Amino acid sequence: MKRRNLISYATVAATSAVALPTLSQTEPQQIKWRMTTSWPKSLDTVFGGAQQICDRVAALTNGRFTITPYQAGEIVGGLEVLDAVQQGTVECGHTASSYYKGKNPTLVFATTLPFGLTAQQQNAWLYHGGGLEAMQKVYANFNIINFPAGNSGVQMGGWFKQEIKTLADLNGLRMRIPGLGGDVMNKLGVNVQVLPGGEIYLALERGAIDATKWTGPYDDEKLGFYRAAKYYYYPGWWEPGATVDVLINLDAWNKLPQEYQEIFQTAAYETNLNMLAQYDVLNSEALPRLIEKGVQFKAFSSEIMEAAQKAALEVYEENASKNGSFKEVYQQWKKFREQIFNWNKVNELSFAQFSFNNSLK
């Protein structure tokens, strides 16, 4: 991927789509792709991100390159997107890379890590800190190229049917939580399960699980979790800035004209920035609605937070000792994390600690 070209196209598209160059009259016949996703259509934020990519690609190619998005289950299950793209069942997919840590745990870096980077820090790492190049190197082993295509921001800590005050309260709890966050919770005594978004509510409502995490107030309200569990914990330390990816089959990608490749990257770039902004607005509006519905917001105790961070470090080191690609990316990511944290402690944290607690009156 050409970083300079990507930023140039994204800047032009964001300011004036009509300023994009007119496509050559010698372009090949119309190209039609399918995009499978991990999301139900009811989640107009994250499925909407997939739709936005498809809409922008069509608009910027004058309808010559069209992609049809499908919700989870229409073509393959929500946790089978990577396989479908790798095998060429579909040309592309919209998903969270952390769902596939069983194939290679290094893939979780494309999404987020427990106690890792915020959304802005994640974008800094991916676009300018070598992160995207590192992840594309990993995905090449699956005959896939990936691009960031959305972010949830800092997530909530999930829904629980009972209060979680101490580490002992986690022991034996059945919780839906994917990624390395699931590995951390497993170390804390939780019975971890992984379910796609469309299957979570029934599992929670019927008692198959005792707790679940998804994203934040807006999506969680849409999925109805407040009807099955009343305790809503924060912060979502396992996903402080979760990126979703668009995955493209490399054979299909390499057949695209370069101009279409650039346009596709621009659409993904726009979607990545837009989804985070959309989530921030929608979550801020949904939060008071949940309060009115009787949801009880609870902060994880210091005991749980400290134990989780300690367990997260153990999970990282264990994976690094077993997997060469994980170790390589982890060392680079860890150095970047320390550097960006030192800067953000000076600028953002100092501002937030004062301003967030002193509203304008």
Side-chain angles (χ1 to χ4, degrees):
M1 186 182 85
K2 300 295 185 182
R3 181 77 58 232
R4 187 174 302 168
N5 289 345
L6 171 59
I7 301 301
S8 175
Y9 264 95
T11 302
V12 171
T15 56
S16 176
V18 297
L20 285 169
T22 303
L23 293 176
S24 166
Q25 297 300 314
T26 61
E27 286 293 341
Q29 71 275 17
Q30 187 177 43
I31 297 173
K32 294 183 179 182
W33 278 12
R34 297 189 300 169
M35 175 189 289
T36 189
T37 76
S38 293
W39 333 114
K41 285 184 179 179
S42 60
L43 295 180
D44 55 348
T45 43
V46 66
F47 184 85
Q51 184 70 61
Q52 181 182 356
I53 293 173
C54 300
D55 290 346
R56 291 297 285 148
V57 166
L60 298 178
T61 60
N62 297 321
R64 298 184 191 180
F65 182 11
T66 59
I67 308 171
T68 303
Y70 294 86
Q71 70 176 339
E74 285 190 287
I75 298 178
V76 296
L79 304 180
E80 299 169 353
V81 174
L82 187 153
D83 289 332
V85 176
Q86 180 182 12
Q87 295 164 7
T89 304
V90 293
E91 291 82 8
C92 58
H94 197 249
T95 187
S97 296
S98 58
Y99 291 160
Y100 313 106
K101 71 178 181 67
K103 296 179 179 295
N104 186 339
T106 317
L107 293 173
V108 301
F109 287 94
T111 304
T112 189
L113 272 71
F115 300 99
L117 305 175
T118 65
Q120 179 58 24
Q121 293 167 345
Q122 178 83 346
N123 282 338
W125 179 63
L126 288 168
Y127 291 129
H128 296 286
L132 184 53
E133 288 84 356
M135 297 318 303
Q136 289 181 342
K137 179 180 177 181
V138 176
Y139 263 116
N141 295 321
F142 296 91
N143 195 39
I144 286 173
I145 185 170
N146 71 299
F147 299 103
N151 197 299
S152 67
V154 181
Q155 297 189 358
M156 289 291 286
W159 298 85
F160 295 77
K161 290 192 169 187
Q162 63 188 45
E163 284 193 78
I164 306 298
K165 297 180 179 179
T166 68
L167 282 173
D169 294 329
L170 292 174
N171 192 41
L173 195 78
R174 297 166 300 172
M175 182 175 184
R176 181 268 177 195
I177 175 170
L180 291 189
D183 291 349
V184 172
M185 289 298 260
N186 183 260
K187 278 184 171 289
L188 300 182
V190 173
N191 180 1
V192 172
Q193 300 185 33
V194 179
L195 300 169
E199 299 178 15
I200 300 173
Y201 175 77
L202 283 179
L204 188 64
E205 192 268 337
R206 294 175 179 177
I209 55 177
D210 307 305
T212 186
K213 59 81 55 188
W214 184 246
T215 54
Y218 181 75
D219 279 358
D220 292 2
E221 181 186 32
K222 269 186 167 291
L223 291 174
F225 296 147
Y226 65 92
R227 295 194 295 266
K230 65 179 181 179
Y231 297 104
Y232 200 17
Y233 276 80
Y234 64 90
W237 49 263
W238 39 68
E239 292 194 328
T243 300
V244 293
D245 276 314
V246 59
L247 312 182
I248 309 103
N249 179 279
L250 262 177
D251 295 331
W253 177 256
N254 290 332
K255 292 176 183 177
L256 285 180
Q258 182 178 356
E259 194 164 19
Y260 284 8
Q261 291 180 348
E262 296 288 349
I263 285 172
F264 193 106
Q265 291 176 66
T266 296
Y269 187 87
E270 289 180 358
T271 300
N272 190 41
L273 300 183
N274 180 71
M275 187 185 294
L276 176 62
Q278 184 180 26
Y279 263 126
D280 275 342
V281 172
L282 294 175
N283 283 330
S284 69
E285 295 172 344
L287 188 67
R289 292 199 299 267
L290 289 176
I291 293 174
E292 291 178 0
K293 292 172 180 176
V295 172
Q296 297 190 36
F297 289 85
K298 301 282 184 178
F300 284 122
S301 66
S302 296
E303 177 190 12
I304 290 176
M305 293 291 289
E306 291 168 5
Q309 187 174 47
K310 180 177 180 291
L313 181 59
E314 293 173 358
V315 168
Y316 304 155
E317 296 297 336
E318 288 169 3
N319 278 282
S321 68
K322 300 174 184 177
N323 186 295
S325 68
F326 188 99
K327 181 178 180 180
E328 180 181 355
V329 176
Y330 175 54
Q331 289 177 339
Q332 189 269 353
W333 175 89
K334 186 177 180 181
K335 182 178 179 181
F336 180 88
R337 179 184 183 274
E338 181 179 3
Q339 172 183 305
I340 201 77
F341 272 29
N342 285 337
W343 161 233
N344 286 163
K345 279 190 292 186
V346 172
N347 69 333
E348 291 200 22
L349 182 60
S350 59
F351 170 78
Q353 285 177 328
F354 178 82
S355 296
F356 286 14
N357 293 309
N358 292 275
S359 62
L360 300 177
K361 296 181 180 178

